[in-house]
Amino acid sequence: MATVVERERKYAGDEGFRLPDLTGCGGVVTVSDATASDLDAVYWDTGDLRLLRSGHALRRRTGGHDAGWHLKVGAVGGARVEHRFPAGAADAGPPPELAALIRGASRGRPVAPATRIVNHRRERRLLDADGRVLAEVAEDDVRSEDLVDGTTRTWHEVEVELVDGDEELLDAVAARLAAAGAREVPVSKSHRAVAARLAGFDDRPPTGTAGPVVGYARKQRDAIVGNHAAAYQGDEDAVHDMRVASRRLRATLRTFRGLWDRRESEAVRAELRRLGGELGRVRDIQVMAVRLDRAVHGLPDELVLGPVAARLGERFAADLAESTVALRAALDDDRHPDLLTRLDRLLDGPTREVDRRWVDRRIRRAVRRADSRLDAALAVDGPAGDDALHEARKKYKAARYAVEVRKAAVGRPAARLVKRFKALQDLLGTHQDSVVTREVLRRHALRAYAEGENTFTYGLLHARQAEAAGHDRPAVLRARDRTRRRAVRRWLSR
């Protein structure tokens, strides 16, 4: 399976639209002659078009230079990740490798042919002075057929896809196309092909006083789904983003739990905690491996006694492989699509009627809880104090997520408080990283000792981590005081 990142924009023009000369746009010196091809793609989806509604497009395409199975993840107009897999002569459906990647978006439901798109393409390359391909511009004459309701459509479309160019080039081409009468199209071909069926689903933003809370929670659910495919493959950023989304969602369901059925929301939170645990194991190993590799290579050669970097690398690689297998098993398990289905019912269903004061009271409660936990933690020394500071950090994360719910409505004051909570949380995180790193070094030192290796370097790194942790407290106190200034909290009491 190959994975590429695609950055493209789509445009449509009225009848008679002609592609303008694009030389001079963002370093374009030459536009190649057009090459023609005929593309035939069948798009697969669930009966309720859950893939498409989740920002996924799964197709089997013939013709062109990249024929085969494709899974695109992401919104049109931004960076989209495309997973490619060869097609067999008699495929009865997507290969298992791709089926695993859509399990979150499909909610575990079967997929079937949803629409067919036939496309006559004329493609040109935009070249710079050195002959580098900056982008490809395709003019498409499209015919689509909805394979469920029989609706057919035809249209003309222009696609601009970056190769070695940048966003400035896309902007320059967009301006040239707009001057020629083109308008940007915010949806994919498959979306346009089944637009009539999509209109039957209520995917509108939530409204009412609880709307910002529900909208925030939906955004986290969508991030879990959107990062599923890449996280399944172990992508570090996707694992991180999926973990953060599950944490944000769990905190939101707790902070504003009166909005939903209590028993169901708590059951969903428990499942999110389980998912976060699997993601956390992978992510923590990824981060620790980089952290300690840098620490070892930052030491003078004469202070590195024995194969410390190699041993750490070997052990982290083994741990990462094991935790990645466990994460994939969790995402393959029926509990994962069941969790997402339950989230759909919660977040897309009715909520309790509340007013703005109800929402703000819960935000204030989350903030007070974090303040109280930190003050108590700062009064404790030793290992117990480390544990208490870690718990305070988690409370500040929950408080920050609660404030984020109101950031769009409140504006700059809420944004400033979010920023200051983040700074405090990062300092507490640095302290916790030191605590965890010291324990990891202790375990590796014991293993090295048992294997007859020199443990001096492990001890040196341990001591440096302990020394660094001792400098955290004054910075934490200053950051705490900055979060409590009246100027950044006044809006909470209005």
Side-chain angles (χ1 to χ4, degrees):
M1 185 188 301
T3 301
V4 298
V5 177
E6 174 188 87
R7 291 178 294 166
E8 69 177 16
R9 298 182 191 176
K10 300 175 183 289
Y11 302 87
D14 296 330
E15 187 175 352
F17 171 80
R18 294 290 181 270
L19 188 70
D21 180 14
L22 297 175
T23 56
C25 291
V28 175
V29 173
T30 307
V31 179
S32 72
D33 293 334
T35 58
S37 59
D38 291 304
L39 311 175
D40 191 340
V42 174
Y43 286 76
W44 291 58
D45 211 326
T46 61
D48 60 354
L49 299 174
R50 184 56 74 172
L51 293 187
L52 192 55
R53 293 163 61 200
S54 298
H56 291 59
L58 174 64
R59 72 187 178 199
R60 186 185 188 279
R61 188 163 78 178
T62 58
H65 59 83
D66 61 348
W69 286 96
H70 302 159
L71 171 64
K72 291 189 178 185
V73 181
V76 171
R80 305 179 80 194
V81 178
E82 182 175 309
H83 307 274
R84 299 174 180 172
F85 197 84
D91 289 336
E97 293 87 346
L98 278 183
L101 301 187
I102 64 170
R103 192 165 173 77
S106 70
R107 310 307 196 256
R109 299 168 192 164
V111 295
T115 187
R116 181 184 181 193
I117 295 177
V118 179
N119 179 15
H120 179 69
R121 170 165 288 182
R122 297 177 303 282
E123 194 167 53
R124 296 173 173 84
R125 293 182 293 176
L126 307 184
L127 311 171
D128 67 7
D130 297 323
R132 258 189 335 144
V133 180
L134 300 179
E136 294 175 341
V137 178
E139 291 186 272
D140 294 335
D141 293 318
V142 185
R143 181 182 185 278
S144 71
E145 178 187 3
D146 188 320
L147 299 177
V148 175
D149 68 13
T151 301
T152 61
R153 295 189 65 195
T154 60
W155 68 89
H156 182 74
E157 185 173 288
V158 175
E159 281 189 8
V160 184
E161 181 175 352
L162 286 182
V163 180
D164 287 332
D166 54 23
E167 294 293 327
E168 290 185 4
L169 169 61
L170 283 181
D171 292 339
V173 171
R176 189 74 59 88
L177 291 175
R183 59 187 181 279
E184 190 166 353
V185 178
V187 296
S188 65
K189 291 182 177 67
S190 55
H191 190 285
R192 296 177 74 174
V194 295
R197 278 201 287 150
L198 280 173
F201 299 102
D202 186 8
D203 291 330
R204 293 171 298 178
T207 58
T209 306
V213 179
V214 177
Y216 184 84
R218 285 184 185 177
K219 184 178 179 180
Q220 311 317 317
R221 173 201 58 190
D222 295 345
I224 292 173
V225 173
N227 283 289
H228 175 110
Y232 189 91
Q233 297 175 308
D235 179 85
E236 293 187 10
D237 290 338
V239 170
H240 170 73
D241 291 346
M242 194 172 181
R243 181 191 190 187
V244 170
S246 66
R247 184 190 295 138
R248 277 191 165 111
L249 186 48
R250 195 171 75 243
T252 301
L253 291 175
R254 184 184 189 280
T255 300
F256 304 99
R257 57 189 172 192
L259 288 175
W260 301 278
D261 177 81
R262 180 70 171 269
R263 178 176 297 180
E264 181 62 9
S265 65
E266 287 302 306
V268 167
R269 287 187 68 244
E271 286 298 297
L272 287 168
R273 185 180 298 110
R274 181 187 65 87
L275 173 62
E278 298 294 348
L279 292 162
R281 275 186 280 276
V282 175
R283 183 59 182 158
D284 289 345
I285 294 169
Q286 291 170 338
V287 171
M288 188 60 67
V290 172
R291 181 182 178 89
L292 285 181
D293 183 70
R294 288 176 178 170
V296 173
H297 285 93
L299 292 174
D301 290 344
E302 64 270 18
L303 297 182
V304 182
L305 306 184
V308 179
R311 290 289 182 265
L312 289 173
E314 291 166 2
R315 290 159 187 162
F316 281 130
D319 290 345
L320 181 59
E322 182 180 347
S323 63
T324 300
V325 168
L327 173 59
R328 287 179 178 169
L331 297 178
D332 283 333
D333 192 281
D334 288 343
R335 291 174 69 176
H336 184 61
D338 180 63
L339 163 63
L340 294 171
T341 299
R342 296 172 79 174
L343 273 171
D344 292 339
R345 286 197 296 264
L346 271 183
L347 305 182
D348 298 336
T351 59
R352 173 187 166 191
E353 291 292 331
V354 297
D355 57 22
R356 200 194 77 181
R357 289 177 298 175
W358 185 93
V359 173
D360 287 348
R361 278 199 302 271
R362 272 138 191 86
I363 296 174
R364 288 195 298 270
R365 185 181 300 169
V367 171
R368 287 197 300 267
R369 188 180 295 121
D371 289 342
S372 176
R373 188 63 63 92
L374 178 59
D375 290 344
L378 290 171
V380 182
D381 294 321
D386 293 335
D387 292 341
L389 286 173
H390 181 49
E391 290 302 314
R393 180 194 179 207
K394 291 194 287 187
K395 294 300 181 185
Y396 272 112
K397 284 182 179 179
R400 177 164 67 93
Y401 303 153
V403 172
E404 285 175 347
V405 165
R406 293 274 283 131
K407 189 167 71 170
V410 174
R412 187 180 177 191
R416 289 171 64 195
L417 185 56
V418 166
K419 184 176 180 180
R420 294 190 184 186
F421 277 161
K422 179 66 165 57
L424 175 57
Q425 173 195 315
D426 287 347
L427 285 170
L428 294 172
T430 299
H431 180 86
Q432 178 64 12
D433 288 344
S434 170
V435 173
V436 174
T437 302
R438 278 177 275 160
E439 176 56 25
V440 169
L441 286 166
R442 189 186 71 82
R443 291 200 307 269
H444 283 288
L446 289 173
R447 185 180 297 180
Y449 178 79
E451 294 173 357
E453 295 177 355
N454 195 306
T455 61
F456 169 82
T457 303
Y458 296 101
L460 176 61
L461 292 172
H462 188 286
R464 290 192 171 187
Q465 288 293 323
E467 181 183 11
H471 299 308
D472 289 345
R473 184 166 294 240
V476 167
L477 291 172
R478 289 193 298 271
R480 178 201 64 179
D481 293 343
R482 282 175 57 80
T483 70
R484 298 184 184 183
R485 290 179 181 171
R486 181 170 174 77
V488 296
R489 291 202 182 189
R490 185 183 298 114
W491 65 273
L492 281 172
S493 58
R494 289 176 183 169

